[in-house]
Amino acid sequence: GKGIYPHYMLKEIHEQPGVVRNLLAGLLEKTDGHLKINLPERVSRKLHKARRILIIACGTSFHAGLFGKYLLESIGLVSVSVEVASEFRYRHPVVDPERDLAILITQSGETADTLSCLRLLKELGVPQIVLTNVEGSTAVREADDAMFLLAGPELGVASTKAFLAQIVYMMFFALELGLKKPHPEHSNAHIYSILDEFFRIPALMEETLNLSPSIRDLVKPFTHLPSTLFLGRGRDYPLALEGALKLKEISYIHAEGYPSGELKHGPLALVSDSMPVFALVSGSELLPKILGNLKEVHSRSGIIISIAPASLKGALTDVVNHQILLPPVGDFFLPLLSTIVLQFISYHMADLKGFDVDRPRNLAKSVTVE
Ligand code: M6R
């Protein structure tokens, strides 16, 4: 049941630190102070052999794939293309069974378009790995290899904990590749220090969960507005897309996710004092660019709500209207905290509007027809 929570979605958001603990127990081994990533032999062999990774998925799982691309390319040094399943299956894709690896991401393991891509890839002889939450699912039965999200049943139509588990997998796949492909910015020592920090993340996620009431208060005045924008750059861009999808899905407020650098190429025209702009900000080398983008929104009377680590508070004071501050955490892990904030934004906006958060209109939990 829902326990103390009014909705499954809220319960599932709160389960996320536990999901990460489960995943770490399976994926990361620490013996005598030595860390080891534990992937099944066949899976790691496939990852290391791949010259190109094709990630195929729908909806939220597609956003996790897009997030994966940033890490797999920058740390794993492998070329990645990410595609929505309903597009991939009908466009006569060019693949190379010797060089390509397909990763199909599907919470349910039953999404019709993703399953069709799986069958197509099998026919074409491309090796596959399915990343799913459901052990007895069709995707697991049909794929060469499957890895499990270990998130427990996800009942809210809006995917939350499965997404978080998917991005944790993307992190592990990238780090596993990175260990064998030394890179000036990602030496093995650096990768091991990231792996070590992983054990601290569930507690920081718990701290982030405490932001729920203040996020509810903050978004209250925006619930009557018709449209919102979610901005992010780099790895935060796929998270912005996911934040926007979540809001559309359950609050029926129009929302768009945009890479901040694209603002000038169109969406800046939409900015006004009646459109809240949720901006993901991280302290990477992109910070000056992000601040520049936000200043453009600010000077056009946009209402900006930043989601950033507490260390950036000063840098953001004159640029944004409201700040949601995250516990201090290494840049690599910030997405695991900012995702929780995005989930709360949509949950509270939808709940304040009185909608049935777990069963949004027109949608089904798994899309088993085309
Ligand atoms: O089960 P899947 O991961 O294959 O489902 C894909 C999408 O249908 C799903 O993520 C959908 O977008 C969610 N309702 C989003 O919250």
Side-chain angles (χ1 to χ4, degrees), residues 52 92 94 111 114 118 147 159 177 210 212 233 245 258 262 290 363:
R52 179 176 72 148
H92 307 286
V94 177
T111 300
T114 310
L118 175 61
M147 296 285 304
S159 181
L177 284 175
N210 296 332
S212 179
R233 284 188 85 116
L245 173 63
Y258 243 94
E262 275 285 295
I290 300 170
L363 298 176

Side-chain angles (χ1 to χ4, degrees), residues 56-63 105-112 114-115 131-134 149 154 156-160 162-163 166 242 245-246 249-250 360 363-367:
I56 298 162
C58 302
T60 289
S61 300
F62 166 71
H63 295 150
I105 309 181
T106 169
Q107 187 283 132
S108 62
E110 302 295 347
T111 300
T114 310
L115 290 175
L131 210 51
T132 184
N133 201 26
V134 182
L149 300 173
E154 189 182 62
V157 165
S159 181
T160 52
F163 177 72
Q166 290 162 352
E242 173 58 10
L245 173 63
K246 212 94 296 168
E249 192 173 23
I250 59 172
L363 298 176
K365 180 63 183 166
S366 46
V367 184

Side-chain angles (χ1 to χ4, degrees), residues 108-131:
S108 62
E110 302 295 347
T111 300
D113 284 315
T114 310
L115 290 175
S116 303
C117 291
L118 175 61
R119 290 167 190 149
L120 174 65
L121 289 157
K122 274 180 89 169
E123 242 172 68
L124 296 170
V126 177
Q128 324 102 44
I129 300 172
V130 156
L131 210 51

Side-chain angles (χ1 to χ4, degrees), residues 222-228 247 251-255 274-276 353:
F222 306 134
T223 50
H224 65 282
L225 298 174
S227 186
T228 55
L247 189 68
S251 76
Y252 319 140
I253 295 172
H254 173 250
S274 57
M275 187 176 67
K353 295 187 85 161

Side-chain angles (χ1 to χ4, degrees), residues 220-290:
K220 209 176 228 161
F222 306 134
T223 50
H224 65 282
L225 298 174
S227 186
T228 55
L229 198 58
F230 287 76
L231 296 178
R233 284 188 85 116
R235 287 168 331 175
D236 287 341
Y237 164 52
L239 302 183
L241 291 176
E242 173 58 10
L245 173 63
K246 212 94 296 168
L247 189 68
K248 285 188 265 234
E249 192 173 23
I250 59 172
S251 76
Y252 319 140
I253 295 172
H254 173 250
E256 273 195 81
Y258 243 94
S260 329
E262 275 285 295
L263 273 174
K264 277 199 189 81
H265 302 284
L268 205 51
L270 288 172
V271 169
S272 76
D273 62 4
S274 57
M275 187 176 67
V277 178
F278 295 98
L280 293 158
V281 184
S282 57
S284 66
E285 74 275 10
L286 292 172
L287 182 62
K289 308 248 179 227
I290 300 170

